[in-house]
Amino acid sequence: EKTLVREKDAGVFLGVSPKTLQDWRFHGVGPIYVKFSNGGGRGAVRYRGAELERYANECAVQPRNNA
């Protein structure tokens, strides 16, 4: 999948705010992202839909008492 989504849409998909995604990037955690930058440090951040799904699946927890 080659679709890139904006930070706001990625947050909606994962159920978190754009600020949370920013914090995750700062701390080196969260889903893989693409950053388009001109070398000045700031740049457009985008997420691939497939990476968001992969990340959500990695965060899935199996309850212990699941029959």
Side-chain angles (χ1 to χ4, degrees), residues 9-61:
D9 297 321
V12 168
F13 179 84
L14 294 174
V16 299
S17 70
K19 175 71 169 111
T20 297
L21 290 172
Q22 293 166 9
D23 290 344
W24 287 353
R25 289 195 307 271
F26 180 79
H27 292 289
V29 298
I32 294 171
Y33 60 94
V34 178
K35 183 174 182 180
F36 300 97
S37 177
N38 61 5
R42 295 187 56 93
V45 172
R46 300 290 183 267
Y47 293 86
R48 289 187 177 98
E51 289 297 335
L52 295 173
E53 289 202 31
R54 182 194 59 76
Y55 182 75
N57 288 335
E58 285 180 358
C59 292
V61 177

